[in-house]
Amino acid sequence: MSAAVTTSSTNAPGVPGMSNPATQLTMEQQQQIAAQAQFGVGVPPAAPQASASLYVGELDPSVTEAMLFEMFSTVGPVASIRVCRDAVTRRSLGYAYVNFHNVLDGEQALERLNYTVIKNKPCRIMWSQRDPALRKTGTGNIFIKNLDKSIDNKSLHDTFIAFGNILSCKVAMEDGVSKGYGFVHYETAEAAENAIKHVNGMLLNDKKVYVGHHIPKKERQSKLEEIKAKFTNIYVKNLDTEVTLEEFRSLFTAFGRITSAVIATDEAGNSKGFGFVNYENHDEAAQAVGELHDTELKGKKLFVARAQKKHEREEELRRQYEQAKMEKLNKYQGVNLYIKNLEDDIDDEKLRQEFSVYGVITSAKVMRDEKFQSKGFGFVCFSSPDEATKAVTEMNGRMIGNKPIYVALAQRKDVRKSQLEAQINQRNLIRQQQASVGMGAGAFGMPGVYAHPGSYGMRSGRPAPFYGQVNMINAVPGTTPNLRTNNFGGIVNRPNGRPQNNPPQNTGRGNPNANRSIRNQYQQAPKQHNQFSQNSRVSNGQGPSNTRNTVPTVQSTSASMGSVFDNRKIIGVSHEAQKQVLGEQLFPKISARQPSLAGKITGMLLEMDNVELMHLLESPGALDAKVEEAVTVLRQHQMATGQDFPQSD
């Protein structure tokens, strides 16, 4: 159990384990956990080595880490919380893990919070058991059936806690209704034996219950196979209602000695048309099935087979249905087309004619409602995948009547739904990740990072926003310290220690004049950019508010200009595209100067005006000054936060 506060990914290898910020702990909760871990809150000097990890099950899919933190932090300091989620859909799997700093808090939580209702569902809490061998042995696990529908997890727990310490207790549910059986897992085998001895055959809510050792599914299936191989009870259906019990019995006694024979009847005593016959040995029953199946009795063909229990019949029918479904899907895989945006007057025959030129069509159908009005879509099935592929290529987007039709391979509803959900979730995660990058700088005081388009894991070279790091200078107790930030707007220092708020530099976003003649703007721009704290304000005509603590002017050490940037690349494109082009040009130049900090420095510089960025590209000296100033800001930030600062190359 790792100490993590983000959501986990379970299956689907190769999918990034991206966490959803909406389901993470809040900032306040994360800070609280971090403070407890740093200062040892809730951890005794001689902390026990036993695990303080709890499993929390039966959770509603909407339950988040923040909700669980609010509930479990009332017991004691929480080390970490993790709601387990599907790696693709990011849906909750209905269970979570909660780590405490010590076992005593875990015991308190288990005692006080077990079966607490969260989102209208009682949660089930137990100690997290990381060793699967201990879970699979089945020692101390008992099975209870014929339970009253009103008995829930808590009622079952309260009933069986008298016989020993319970590790897990669960009533099987379906759609919120009890299925009439449950399980109790004791810590010891002795406690399980004691519970079986005292409760088996007793009345619980006026119903006689069966209590016995839990038999694993594999063992039950192996026993079932033995019963199938040596059956003696047979089922007979499609009987004529005029067949009497004597006629029925005499028909089957010809194959051996029978122990019982019965015809099912209704309340009035009339035959239901089926019955059962039980033989003394398996061979006689098998002979009766072999010889009487599909024979006629009073004009009706009999069905004779081994008698099955209800769940066995349901399982077999389900298996047959799934098999037929898969055969049907495989049959139409890659040959069935989905067509939408059809005009109302197109019928099956016209749809077939439109697609018949591409191959042999086995079926063509326009879907209609209960009033026989076209729903605007239909299906065409070809005899081979090649014909279907050709039809998709040629017909998709073609005009039929006054509408362009959409043609694609048909998909099952569940497959289409899962794909759409995955696409929507992926888009939402990208948006949230981009938003968190922009918000993260303001929340944590961290500069943004620019990732070069060629770097691993990035879709594009879009820069992450940088929000200026505020530096504390000459702080005096009881007064507001002098503050300094970079040229991206915000707070600047004043001689009396009071901060002055200045609006950030207008970068042209949303400005209708932003995309006009970049070249003309560049010609009017100042040629020296040596102060991180002043240049954008000078361009706005504001002038510096104070120069007392500003960074000293750094003169360019290079008199020669570098390669001239071709500004035709950014003329007529959007502001975002301009930033991307400039970032792609800046990154390798900054990487040559500061390889380990190139991403962060590029992200910082991209907050400047585009005209100023063009000047940096053409003036190595100005770029050197900006890079050095950015390194100074980053170094001060790292020193203030106590982090290691990478050495300059």
Side-chain angles (χ1 to χ4, degrees):
M1 180 66 194
S2 60
V5 295
T6 57
T7 57
S8 67
S9 301
T10 52
N11 47 8
V15 179
M18 299 169 65
S19 59
N20 187 347
T23 61
Q24 290 181 348
L25 298 177
T26 64
M27 182 57 54
E28 182 180 352
Q29 293 168 343
Q30 293 185 33
Q31 292 173 350
Q32 185 176 345
I33 289 177
Q36 292 166 357
Q38 180 177 358
F39 299 106
V41 178
V43 183
Q49 296 300 315
S51 171
S53 178
L54 295 178
Y55 166 88
V56 186
E58 315 293 328
L59 295 176
D60 186 86
S62 62
V63 173
T64 64
E65 285 90 345
M67 296 178 188
L68 295 178
F69 180 85
E70 291 295 331
M71 185 174 94
F72 284 90
S73 60
T74 60
V75 176
V78 176
S80 66
I81 295 178
R82 175 182 296 179
V83 173
C84 296
R85 301 180 181 277
D86 185 89
V88 177
T89 64
R90 307 307 300 161
R91 286 181 176 177
S92 170
L93 298 177
Y95 64 93
Y97 293 95
V98 178
N99 283 343
F100 285 95
H101 286 291
N102 63 55
V103 178
L104 295 178
D105 290 336
E107 291 175 349
Q108 286 286 328
L110 186 61
E111 181 179 346
R112 289 167 48 186
L113 302 178
N114 203 6
Y115 308 115
T116 299
V117 176
I118 310 175
K119 292 277 187 178
N120 299 322
K121 289 184 69 175
C123 68
R124 184 168 58 92
I125 306 175
M126 57 182 286
W127 290 109
S128 174
Q129 181 55 261
R130 298 187 64 182
D131 187 359
L134 296 177
R135 295 198 304 266
K136 294 178 180 179
T137 55
T139 303
N141 201 5
I142 63 174
F143 170 71
I144 307 101
K145 71 176 181 178
N146 202 33
L147 290 172
D148 186 76
K149 301 291 185 182
S150 63
I151 296 178
D152 57 10
N153 292 338
K154 191 175 189 308
S155 303
L156 193 66
H157 184 277
D158 294 341
T159 301
F160 284 87
I161 190 65
F163 305 104
N165 187 27
I166 294 176
L167 299 177
S168 173
C169 177
K170 180 177 182 179
V171 174
M173 309 287 286
E174 185 175 19
D175 298 328
V177 180
S178 170
K179 297 173 85 173
Y181 65 90
F183 306 90
V184 175
H185 194 179
Y186 284 100
E187 191 173 22
T188 62
E190 292 77 10
E193 292 288 350
N194 197 21
I196 294 172
K197 178 180 177 182
H198 288 86
V199 185
N200 186 30
M202 302 295 290
L203 294 177
L204 291 180
N205 287 15
D206 299 327
K207 292 188 73 172
K208 187 176 181 179
V209 297
Y210 165 83
V211 183
H213 290 288
H214 172 253
I215 302 174
K217 188 175 182 179
K218 288 184 178 180
E219 294 185 21
R220 295 199 306 272
Q221 287 178 340
S222 63
K223 289 184 178 181
L224 188 61
E225 293 299 326
E226 293 179 6
I227 295 173
K228 289 180 182 179
K230 298 180 179 180
F231 70 92
T232 58
N233 195 19
I234 61 176
Y235 167 70
V236 185
K237 74 173 182 178
N238 205 29
L239 286 170
D240 187 87
T241 55
E242 300 298 326
V243 174
T244 63
L245 182 60
E246 290 74 16
E247 293 173 333
F248 183 67
R249 179 183 289 270
S250 63
L251 178 65
F252 286 92
T253 52
F255 302 97
R257 184 175 178 180
I258 60 176
T259 58
S260 66
V262 62
I263 294 177
T265 57
D266 56 19
E267 295 82 356
N270 299 320
S271 171
K272 290 185 175 182
F274 68 91
F276 298 90
V277 178
N278 192 40
Y279 285 88
E280 275 193 349
N281 61 69
H282 165 70
D283 294 335
E284 295 171 347
Q287 184 182 3
V289 170
E291 295 193 18
L292 291 178
H293 182 62
D294 283 341
T295 59
E296 286 192 3
L297 178 64
K298 291 190 175 183
K300 285 193 172 184
K301 186 178 289 187
L302 298 178
F303 174 88
V304 184
R306 176 182 65 86
Q308 296 174 301
K309 292 185 177 180
K310 183 179 180 180
H311 70 85
E312 189 180 349
R313 292 198 308 275
E314 290 176 346
E315 184 65 28
E316 185 173 337
L317 290 173
R318 188 180 299 111
R319 187 168 55 250
Q320 292 175 356
Y321 171 76
E322 290 296 333
Q323 183 178 357
K325 183 179 178 181
M326 291 306 299
E327 289 177 355
K328 184 178 180 181
L329 290 174
N330 293 333
K331 179 181 179 181
Y332 296 110
Q333 187 70 31
V335 297
N336 197 21
L337 301 184
Y338 167 72
I339 302 98
K340 71 175 181 179
N341 205 31
L342 296 173
E343 289 195 330
D344 295 341
D345 60 347
I346 293 180
D347 56 11
D348 297 352
E349 187 59 33
K350 189 171 182 180
L351 185 65
R352 180 186 289 269
Q353 290 176 2
E354 293 289 345
F355 284 85
S356 60
V357 295
Y358 301 104
V360 179
I361 295 177
T362 58
S363 67
K365 185 174 181 61
V366 175
M367 305 307 294
R368 300 184 179 277
D369 57 19
E370 61 277 0
K371 296 181 180 179
F372 207 67
Q373 298 293 323
S374 171
K375 291 184 176 182
F377 69 93
F379 299 90
V380 174
C381 188
F382 284 90
S383 59
S384 71
D386 292 338
E387 296 171 348
T389 303
K390 185 178 179 182
V392 171
T393 305
E394 297 289 336
M395 292 295 291
N396 187 31
R398 178 171 292 185
M399 298 291 292
I400 296 184
N402 296 321
K403 288 185 177 181
I405 62 171
Y406 170 84
V407 184
L409 287 174
Q411 293 177 308
R412 295 202 323 268
K413 186 176 181 180
D414 55 341
V415 174
R416 190 168 66 254
K417 184 178 179 181
S418 63
Q419 287 183 353
L420 289 173
E421 287 178 349
Q423 291 173 1
I424 293 171
N425 289 331
Q426 189 69 18
R427 285 197 295 267
N428 290 339
L429 286 171
I430 292 173
R431 292 195 196 101
Q432 290 163 355
Q433 190 179 27
Q434 291 172 346
S436 64
V437 170
M439 294 168 57
F444 299 102
M446 288 296 295
V449 179
Y450 175 84
H452 191 264
S455 60
Y456 175 79
M458 297 297 294
R459 290 180 179 269
S460 68
R462 180 176 296 178
F466 170 76
Y467 296 85
Q469 170 61 35
V470 176
N471 299 285
M472 311 299 290
I473 303 175
N474 302 328
V476 179
T479 64
T480 304
N482 292 340
L483 302 174
R484 186 188 68 191
T485 183
N486 51 27
N487 67 320
F488 310 135
I491 302 175
V492 295
N493 57 319
R494 291 178 61 87
N496 58 4
R498 296 178 183 174
Q500 173 184 345
N501 289 324
N502 286 319
Q505 169 70 22
N506 180 14
T507 58
R509 184 172 307 198
N511 185 354
N513 299 322
N515 292 329
R516 291 182 182 175
S517 188
I518 302 296
R519 189 181 190 90
N520 294 336
Q521 293 180 17
Y522 167 66
Q523 291 173 354
Q524 299 171 4
K527 298 300 182 180
Q528 295 297 328
H529 301 266
N530 299 321
Q531 294 187 12
F532 232 109
S533 304
Q534 293 184 6
N535 51 17
S536 63
R537 292 177 180 80
V538 172
S539 65
N540 280 340
Q542 297 176 358
S545 61
N546 181 38
T547 58
R548 178 189 238 173
N549 293 320
T550 55
V551 178
T553 300
V554 181
Q555 297 297 334
S556 173
T557 58
S558 175
S560 62
M561 299 289 286
S563 58
V564 178
F565 172 69
D566 186 5
N567 55 16
R568 290 177 297 179
K569 296 180 180 179
I570 63 173
I571 294 177
V573 299
S574 66
H575 181 80
E576 292 280 342
Q578 292 176 9
K579 285 288 184 186
Q580 181 171 335
V581 172
L582 292 170
E584 292 172 355
Q585 296 292 325
L586 276 173
F587 185 86
K589 295 179 181 294
I590 298 173
S591 183
R593 293 165 170 81
Q594 292 288 342
S596 59
L597 299 173
K600 288 188 177 181
I601 295 174
T602 307
M604 295 169 68
L605 296 184
L606 284 175
E607 288 296 315
M608 297 171 60
D609 198 27
N610 287 355
V611 177
E612 296 174 330
L613 292 176
M614 291 166 58
H615 175 68
L616 294 182
L617 287 171
E618 296 184 350
S619 174
L623 182 60
D624 287 338
K626 285 297 178 186
V627 170
E628 287 300 320
E629 190 170 352
V631 170
T632 302
V633 173
L634 289 171
R635 183 181 288 110
Q636 290 175 353
H637 165 73
Q638 299 292 80
M639 292 173 62
T641 57
Q643 301 178 19
D644 293 331
F645 185 79
Q647 296 297 323
S648 300
D649 295 285

